[in-house]
Amino acid sequence: MIGADMYRASMGTRVVFVLSGLWLAAMSVTAEHSLQGLEFVPRFTRLLRQDLSSVASYLLPTEQPPLCAGQCCQADSYASPYGLLSMSNTQQIFGGRTYTTFSFILHSNQTCNSALDHAGCCSSAAYIVWIDVDPTLKVKYVSYNGVRLASAEQSQFGLKLGSLNLQVAQAKNGIPVAITVEGAADTLCPPPGLAPVTGLCELVIQGGTDINPNACCPTTVTAAGSGPSSQPGPNSVFQCSGTLSNSPFKLVFDGVTPISSQSTSTSLAQAQFLAYNFRLVATSSCEPDGVTNCCHAQLAYVNLKVTDLPISGVQLGRSSVNFSTSSWNEPNSASYRSLLVDELNLVADDLGSNGLALTVTVRLPIGSTASNVDLCDASSDPQQGACTYYLHSEDGFCCPSGLVLPSAGVPPPPAGTCWPTQNVPAADTSMSLQYYERVASAATTTFAFLLANHNPASGCTKSYCVDVCSWTLYLDPGAASQVAVGHESPLNNGRQTIEAGSGTSPASLTFTYGPAGESTNTFYVTLPAGGKHLTDLCARNALPGQGVRPCAAVVRSASVYIMVFFDDSDVIIVPGAAPPPPPPVEQICMSPRPMSDSCLVAQTAHYNTLSSTAVFDFPVSPAAASTTCRPPAAPGDLATLHLLLAPATVDQLTTRRQIRPDRGVSLDRNDGVRWQVSTTAASSLSFQVQGPLGITEVCQQGVTGEQPAGTCVVEVSGDLGCFRGYVGATADGRLIWVEESTSKKGVGASVIVPAVVVPLVAVLAVTLLVMAWYRRRKGQQYFFMNSGSDDLDRPLATQSINSLHDDLATASAAASDVQIRVPGASQGGAMPIGRR
């Protein structure tokens, strides 16, 4: 309250000072001004009286009658709560032109004298504000409370701010008003001779009350700013009409073509040049806005945001045109380089039906190629890697901006996948893709991506309200043979295509589905090594406009597609931050019995960790007939075995299907693996994963408080009960994975065979080893027999041939033994035994 009283006192002092100055000036300068109302009859108000279409004819700043009734209005500024406080003025360069912005505060903190308030104007609304400005200035833009005021209009009668409908309570804290004029102006007010006092702008505020509408037209003054300010005032940034929907022009990109040097200079004879081909085209429809009719604008110049590639020439049509570059060309923004093509003077009819070609020729730096440079500055739109452009009209009122997108160069998706051909900005669609999280362990690195669709049934505000039908992530060729994928829902397992790439198309991972309506999906991509980054996963220069971003992706709908580029800094969950809580394990037994009570028991697991792969086998068998136990299911029914594997392990098994049995098995990255078995027969689950993994990396750890470290949680459940155990693992070098075939997607099928069936290469290797050992042994025996030494000096190798065969005999194979052939080096596996 004290601050408000001080402010009112200050405003009252200001008004008294201003009015005193006006009175003195009126007395000394001219005799035309009479002692009525504000002590003068200014030019501005007299002009307003002539504009009967905009201002009521009774707008007369004259002496106050005893009661304001009939054709009169309250004109005394002391009987009004409104005032306009000048703050500062700022000069700015925009599009190569200078503008001056004057900042004001429109408020209702001025003391209103109720003794003079014959029309009730102390509670009046403010409908229209008239400001007397220098008639030589051209007002380009008016901002009211941070938004462009569409009802602003400049005429011979001054500047009109219409349709405000401002109430006294709304203006208590002040409303910022910014008025931008063309050129470098020192003051907004009229020059001496047109204004009653130099440096003062006359002000009229029209308004009224519900009972007495249009009864208030107080006239007052506002002082100009004290001088130019280096800091813009509130909401003072100049903005012109900048939407493409209100423009008759737009810019499109047709592609890049290499051209050879035409110079005879030795230094340029080997230079390489690229032509970036754009077109200025006429838009098919244009919607006039409420401020100016940009649909009939005349195009003055094009401003294109570019990189630092050396530009050697610009052509419009087939003619060379002048151009310039600058380090920045927009106020209050980060520094960038712009290409300015000026003095165009075009109208829409000049462009023709196909548009007017705009060609920018650049010279490649030494050591660069067309695939690793780009004229378009990817910072224009990190999600698209396109060029931002501005199209400025002759009067500066229209400056639509947009993104010029590559129209070619995107590799086709896999066969059978939706294939839209229209590339649009990501901000214009209901689709979005974000790099969500990176989780790295000692053995694996998992990258998470969040794909969202914002196309609700209640209505979508985007230009392209679509649903995702597929999306593609472009991979490093080395990662394509190792990558594994995961999904939030196991229903999507196998719905992906991994392509190794070719000389004309990069390696890629395509998910053939996506969210629809208002929904999201999370996708997981895993590499079988710890500490990896996006540079290890993604392909460079996969898409046009990718620039230095390591990752590129395409998100498709049935009609349009978007390109998304990102790097490690774009991750939503920053590494080191507290991770989100893991999802709960689904359908785990609430009150399980010990595994030892079950008639179907999960035994100790076996594993064999190799240099680049690891093989695991989890056997299960019925309890001995003499054992007292509880059956998990009735005789003849099947029981379910649940092994809680780590998400990264499930991702690998989901992608490559290197698991046995390969049918009747369900995989869920949040739940592990489940398969159904007979309660009366022995069986096992065997699989291979990439990387030298151990049991702690393969199985979920810490699932329950009782789980010992380095074990797997296994549950056996059926209609008659649920049993839980913690299975350890024993190293078994006999486990080898047998690779039968490789599908088109690079996902290998697998089979488990008994260990007694040894691969042919292994058999030959063992045979050769036995023969060499036997020959050496016979040689040793012959040497000692002829050396004259006694029996104590002879080696213990005097068994018969039959005993030798007994030493080399192989034990009979158990039901749990697994023989798996390791994939060859060409498939990313270790060399087979016998070839190392």
Side-chain angles (χ1 to χ4, degrees), residues 98 140 176 360 368 376 518 579 655 684 692 808:
T98 301
K140 305 299 295 182
V360 181
S368 300
C376 286
E518 187 76 14
T655 306
S684 68
L808 298 177

Side-chain angles (χ1 to χ4, degrees), residues 630-679:
R630 294 174 178 271
D637 291 343
L638 296 177
T640 299
L641 266 73
H642 182 194
L643 178 63
L644 276 72
L645 298 178
T649 303
V650 176
D651 291 348
Q652 291 204 31
L653 300 181
T654 298
T655 306
R656 306 195 174 275
R657 302 301 301 181
Q658 291 179 313
I659 184 171
R660 189 69 180 182
D662 56 358
R663 295 183 180 180
V665 175
S666 63
L667 291 163
D668 186 336
R669 75 182 320 271
N670 297 324
D671 189 37
V673 58
R674 297 173 185 266
W675 75 101
Q676 291 187 324
V677 296
S678 170
T679 59

Side-chain angles (χ1 to χ4, degrees), residues 208-234:
T209 63
D210 294 338
I211 300 176
N212 200 357
N214 298 321
C216 304
C217 54
T219 57
T220 183
V221 291
T222 180
S226 58
S229 171
S230 59
Q231 296 295 330

Side-chain angles (χ1 to χ4, degrees), residues 608 610 612-617 649 652-654 656-660 685-691 693 698 735-739 748 750 752 820-824 827-830:
N608 186 17
L610 304 174
S612 60
T613 59
V615 182
F616 295 85
D617 179 49
T649 303
Q652 291 204 31
L653 300 181
T654 298
R656 306 195 174 275
R657 302 301 301 181
Q658 291 179 313
I659 184 171
R660 189 69 180 182
L685 178 80
S686 303
F687 56 84
Q688 176 181 263
V689 291
Q690 292 183 313
L693 307 181
V698 167
L735 294 179
I736 305 173
W737 190 256
V738 175
E739 196 74 44
S750 57
I752 307 298
I820 312 167
R821 189 180 344 161
V822 178
Q827 287 86 27

Side-chain angles (χ1 to χ4, degrees), residues 704-728:
T704 66
E706 299 82 15
Q707 180 183 1
T711 63
C712 295
V713 178
V714 181
E715 291 184 342
V716 178
S717 60
D719 295 336
L720 301 181
C722 178
F723 306 86
R724 178 184 298 164
Y726 304 102
V727 176

Side-chain angles (χ1 to χ4, degrees), residues 253-256 405-412 421-423 542-545 561 563:
F253 179 55
D254 291 332
V256 184
L405 304 173
S407 58
V410 177
T421 57
Q422 183 181 0
N423 183 20
L543 297 179
Y561 70 90
M563 296 189 296

